[in-house]
């Protein structure tokens, strides 16, 4: 797989960086594989295959450059359609000086071969020769025949490139099918390689969500990616926000990209062009919905050429263009009238047969795109079908069209508002939902709809900074007017109360909750989804996990679930993190994130980004945590919603403080509103942790104990335990341990129990207790906490005079902290440390412990016996021992 990097470093470059040379790197070693094949005795041909723009030519150049550096002679040949009709046209620049009269010898194969052989041998001057032919299917037949003869005579070896789907010349194909040729497929860029590439080109990180979109839109093709990024930067769709590049809107690529794509489609037959244009406007299309003589045969040819893909879905064959950029390039070349004709014609074709729900949605969308919307009834149904399909953009468009066509306003404004909320456009969502509430009050139709509108309004308010209280006020006002809605709105009230860290009140609210659903299965699933997080906050981990997993099972198996599986995964991953299972929480969060990206669910994207920040912070991967938290901050401002921005800032400040980066931590905290710092424990934690690492650990620890007690009083035991555990890590273990014991006794949370065990071990300074706590943390993936335990155990061993044990424990602490990406917490920074053995000292000590003499060790390691003895003496001093026999068991 190829990636591209820019060799010169620097700050965020924007357009300047885009127009510099995008130099290739080869992380998968494909160039090495190509050169290794040619160096071997058996292979004489390497075929590099891949789509146009995948980097085949550059890979061939890299491989030939490596061979040239080893003394090989390289003969570069570029084939093209322009000279394919000229016999030996591509070889002329190489051999013209030696083949004086092509015309005279072109009809004499033996004479041509003899002179070509002499020419190559003269030029090579005894060196091994490799010919590099770019795009070999474009080479004329005489050149191919000559190259084949030279290969057979072992005059040269060959590297060729060929586009995927293009047939190889028969002569070359016969070699490929033998043992003398190696085919290397050049795969598309992965998301990870795209991220490295774009960071190098743009000079700063690109948000993961944006990288995923660009990789999808380019299909991992480096050429397409470059043109997409260049166009997106030029038109402002890709721009930096808070130091992170964010993609906002759909990039359309450069005119050069569209021209390139259209040039590849220029030679299609009329029937093929008709299908390509129809797919660009209406895809996907059922194969049976293509009309016209020869349509199926044209599809076969297009599929073989790699222009169209055919997929089977529910027994039907669906056609679409093979690359996302084909759609925009072809559609941009069509007139508006041609687009309208295609849309309406395809809508008529599909409407002539019985319509499936998917058909209804597509027909309504095509007619809307053509400016001829369907009836209000069909638009309403289509909006609901789009909702089932989780296509929020289509929901918003169809619902708006339904209102304009005269459909009942309240329901369609509600659907449109919810779609905008999901897309992160809170201001628009609130305006639409307020209109929905007014329309519902003016013409009440369904009390359940009234409740749905109230819930959506409350949730949307919660998407604003400090908006949870406003959301509660909305719900309370609706309950006053409609008391019978109290039980169904209790679910939303519980969510908002939990956001305010009022876990006891949230749990009490859920006692009377009754989801508004006619399906017992759906009602039970909604209740499970709503109760899992309050139960987890109360430390009732087993119940919380049971409810969260039940919600995921329902969303995974129900035919039309009331909530998306990714939303259930968000709840489950949160519960898992609060029970101490960092690894599964991280895995499920990533799954939910990529599903959210695929559905433009900005609300879920921001939440999952925040969760990944929390997961990696819990694991002690501090740089990685900071990266995800910065994505939240930047994404919230660029794409919305804003609700998670301040939470991410608070956690980012805590992360920076844990790295000892007090200046940046203070700067991030300064951006938080005073009310947020006052009401949110994460902000309190960040502020006090910064105070501790800045020098006043006693005051910070005291503040954390006070905050933990206040949080415990509100029933959020897991959050209270986290605050108390932080106080313990700042030196207040004696005060924190009794509080953690109470919190652990109130539930069954493995995380709270581990925090209590850690604090108790720190308070007692018990070596075995600290070792056991460290092993528990390490097993659960909390590497920073584990490192702190072993560092404390090493300090306790040192105080007890056991230098060897202290050294071993310190080495465990060092090995773990090395994985924590710059961690510099008090327990690591201020603990008594022992001087660790060097790598060489450990190596010699280990051999000595096995019974080897100094002479034997010296012979094995190619050292002198005196050097070995010097290292052993240094090790004895560091370990606090006096003789070789005491090394046993080290």
């Amino acid at each position: 797989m190829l990636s591209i990097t820019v060799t010169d470093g620097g700050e965020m470059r924007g357009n300047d960086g885009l127009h510099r040379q995008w130099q290739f790197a080869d992380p998968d070693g494909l160039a090495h594989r190509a050169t290794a094949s040619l160096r071997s005795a058996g292979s004489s041909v390497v075929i590099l295959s891949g789509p146009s723009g995948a980097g085949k030519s550059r890979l061939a150049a890299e491989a030939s450059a490596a061979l040239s550096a080893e003394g090989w002679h390289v003969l570069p040949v570029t084939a093209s359609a322009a000279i394919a009709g000229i016999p030996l046209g591509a070889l002329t620049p190489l051999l013209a000086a030696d083949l004086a009269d092509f015309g005279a010898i072109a009809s004499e194969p033996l004479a041509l071969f003899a002179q070509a052989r002499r020419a190559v041998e003269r030029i090579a001057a005894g060196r091994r020769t490799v010919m590099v032919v770019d795009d070999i299917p474009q080479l004329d037949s005489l050149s191919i025949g000559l190259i084949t003869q030279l290969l057979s005579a072992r005059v040269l070896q060959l590297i060729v490139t060929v586009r995927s789907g293009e047939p190889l010349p028969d002569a070359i194909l016969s070699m490929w099918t033998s043992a003398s040729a190696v085919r290397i497929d050049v795969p598309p860029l992965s998301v990870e390689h795209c991220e490295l590439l774009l960071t190098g080109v743009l000079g700063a990180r690109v948000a993961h969500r944006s990288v995923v979109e660009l990789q999808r839109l380019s299909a991992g093709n480096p050429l397409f990616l470059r043109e997409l990024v260049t166009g997106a930067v030029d038109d402002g769709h890709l721009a930096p926000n808070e130091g992170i590049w964010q993609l906002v809107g759909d990039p359309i690529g450069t005119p050069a990209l569209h021209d390139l794509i259209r040039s590849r489609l220029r030679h299609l037959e009329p029937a093929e062009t008709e299908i390509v244009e129809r797919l660009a406007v209406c895809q996907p299309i059922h194969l049976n919905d293509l009309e016209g003589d020869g349509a199926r045969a044209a599809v076969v040819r297009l599929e073989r050429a790699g222009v169209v893909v055919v997929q089977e879905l529910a027994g039907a064959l669906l056609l679409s263009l093979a690359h996302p950029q084909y759609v925009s390039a072809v559609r941009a070349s069509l007139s508006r009238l041609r687009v309208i004709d295609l849309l309406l014609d395809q809508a008529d074709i599909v409407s002539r047969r019985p319509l499936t729900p998917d058909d209804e949605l597509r027909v309504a969308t095509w007619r809307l795109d053509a400016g001829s919307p369907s009836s209000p009834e069909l638009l309403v149904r289509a909006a609901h079908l789009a909702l089932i399909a989780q296509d929020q953009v289509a929901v918003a468009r169809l619902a708006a069209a339904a209102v304009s066509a005269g459909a009942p306003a309240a329901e369609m404004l509600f659907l449109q508002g919810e779609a905008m909320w999901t897309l992160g456009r809170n201001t628009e969502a609130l305006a639409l939902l307020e209109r929905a509430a007014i329309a519902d009050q003016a013409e009440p139709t369904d009390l359940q709809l009234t409740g749905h509108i109230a819930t959506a309004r409350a949730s949307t308010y919660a998407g604003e900074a400090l908006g949870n209280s406003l959301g509660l006020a909305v719900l309370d006002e609706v309950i006053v007017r409609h008391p019978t809605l109290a039980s169904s709105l209790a679910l939303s009230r519980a969510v908002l109360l939990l956001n305010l860290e009022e876990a006891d009140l949230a749990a009490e609210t859920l006692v009377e909750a009754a989801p508004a659903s006619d399906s017992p299965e759906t009602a039970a699933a909604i209740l499970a989804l709503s109760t899992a997080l309050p139960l987890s906050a109360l430390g009732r981990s087993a119940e919380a996990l049971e409810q969260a997993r039940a919600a995921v099972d329902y969303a995974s198996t129900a035919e039309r679930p009331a909530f998306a599986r990714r939303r259930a995964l968000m709840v489950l991953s949160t519960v898992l993190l609060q029970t101490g299972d960092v690894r599964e929480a991280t895995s499920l969060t990533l799954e939910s994130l990529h599903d959210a990206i695929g559905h433009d669910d900005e609300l879920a994207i921001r939440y999952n980004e925040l969760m990944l920040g929390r997961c990696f912070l819990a694991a002690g991967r501090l740089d990685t945590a900071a990266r995800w938290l910065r994505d939240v901050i930047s994404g919230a401002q660029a794409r919305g919603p804003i609700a998670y921005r301040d939470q991410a800032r608070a956690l980012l400040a805590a992360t920076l403080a844990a790295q000892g980066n007090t200046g940046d931590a203070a700067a991030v905290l300064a951006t938080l509103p005073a009310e947020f710092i006052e009401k949110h424990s994460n902000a309190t934690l960040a502020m006090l942790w910064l105070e501790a690492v800045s020098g006043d650990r006693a005051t910070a620890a005291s503040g954390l104990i006070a905050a933990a007690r206040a949080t415990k009083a509100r029933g959020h035991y897991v959050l209270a335990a986290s605050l108390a555990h932080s106080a313990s890590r700042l030196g207040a273990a004696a005060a924190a341990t009794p509080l953690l014991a109470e919190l652990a006794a109130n539930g069954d949370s493995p995380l709270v129990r581990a925090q209590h065990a850690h604090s108790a071990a720190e308070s007692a300074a018990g070596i075995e207790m600290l070792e056991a706590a460290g092993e528990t943390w390490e097993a659960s993936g909390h590497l920073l906490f584990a490192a702190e335990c072993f560092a404390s155990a090493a300090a306790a061993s040192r105080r007890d005079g056991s230098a060897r044990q202290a050294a071993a424990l310190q080495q465990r602490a060092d090995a773990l902290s090395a994985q924590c990406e710059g961690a510099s917490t008090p327990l690591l920074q201020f603990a008594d440390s022992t001087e660790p053995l060097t790598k060489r000292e450990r190596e010699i000590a280990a051999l000595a412990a096995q019974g080897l003499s100094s002479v034997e060790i010296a012979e094995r390691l190619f050292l002198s016996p005196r050097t070995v003895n010097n290292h052993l003496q240094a090790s004895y001093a560091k370990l606090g021992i006096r003789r070789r026999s005491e090394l046993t068991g080290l």
Side-chain angles (χ1 to χ4, degrees), residues 498 501-511 530-544 575 578-579 711-721 742-749 752:
L498 194 59
E501 300 179 9
E502 298 285 354
D504 272 343
L505 291 178
E508 290 175 12
T509 301
L510 287 171
V511 171
S530 302
T531 57
L533 288 178
L535 288 170
S536 180
L538 293 168
R540 294 160 60 180
S541 296
E543 295 175 76
V575 173
Q578 292 180 344
T579 60
T711 305
K712 175 178 177 290
R714 298 194 301 273
H716 208 312
Y717 297 151
V718 170
L719 189 51
E742 294 176 28
L743 293 166
N746 280 333
D748 59 358
S749 169
V752 177

Side-chain angles (χ1 to χ4, degrees), residues 19 223-224 226-228 230-231 234 252-264 266 325 329:
H19 298 293
L223 174 62
F224 285 15
R226 174 172 182 151
E227 297 305 314
L228 275 174
T230 301
D234 287 344
I252 59 174
T254 61
L257 176 59
H258 288 179
D259 289 344
L260 174 65
I261 292 171
R262 287 194 287 264
S263 72
R264 294 177 188 163
R266 188 177 299 140
Q325 291 313 301

Side-chain angles (χ1 to χ4, degrees), residues 133-216:
V133 184
D134 197 17
D135 206 3
I136 195 169
Q138 297 292 335
L139 209 59
D140 65 278
S141 58
L142 184 59
S143 294
I144 290 174
L146 178 58
I147 292 171
T148 304
Q149 288 178 310
L150 293 171
L151 272 171
S152 299
R154 297 186 177 274
V155 174
L156 52 74
Q157 290 169 271
L158 190 63
I159 298 175
V160 303
T161 70
V162 60
R163 293 180 190 172
S164 300
E166 273 196 280
L168 282 167
D170 289 341
I172 302 299
L173 185 61
S174 64
M175 293 184 182
W176 173 49
T177 56
S178 71
S180 63
V182 173
R183 175 177 175 138
I184 299 176
D185 290 311
V186 182
L189 295 170
S190 67
V191 171
E192 292 75 16
H193 285 107
C194 283
E195 184 168 0
L196 290 172
L197 160 85
L198 295 176
T199 299
V201 170
L202 295 170
R205 274 200 58 250
V206 181
H208 180 77
R209 185 250 197 278
S210 299
V211 174
V212 170
E213 280 295 289
L214 288 167
Q215 195 272 348
R216 180 186 66 82

Side-chain angles (χ1 to χ4, degrees), residues 871-884 887:
H871 280 303
L872 283 172
Q873 290 302 319
S875 300
Y876 298 161
K878 290 179 180 181
L879 298 174
I881 61 178
R882 291 180 294 178
R883 58 183 64 87
R884 184 185 297 250
L887 288 171

Side-chain angles (χ1 to χ4, degrees), residues 354-380:
L355 298 181
T356 67
D358 285 344
D359 292 333
E360 289 185 73
L361 175 57
R362 290 189 299 152
V363 167
T365 303
W366 290 335
R367 294 194 187 283
L368 183 59
D369 289 344
S372 300
S374 306
S375 67
E377 295 77 17
L378 183 56
L379 288 169
V380 168

Side-chain angles (χ1 to χ4, degrees), residues 646-675:
D646 289 343
Q647 293 184 48
R649 283 175 170 167
L651 290 170
L652 177 59
T655 303
L656 294 168
Q659 292 178 309
N661 192 345
T662 56
D664 286 347
V668 172
L669 276 175
T671 65
L672 292 174
E675 185 181 356

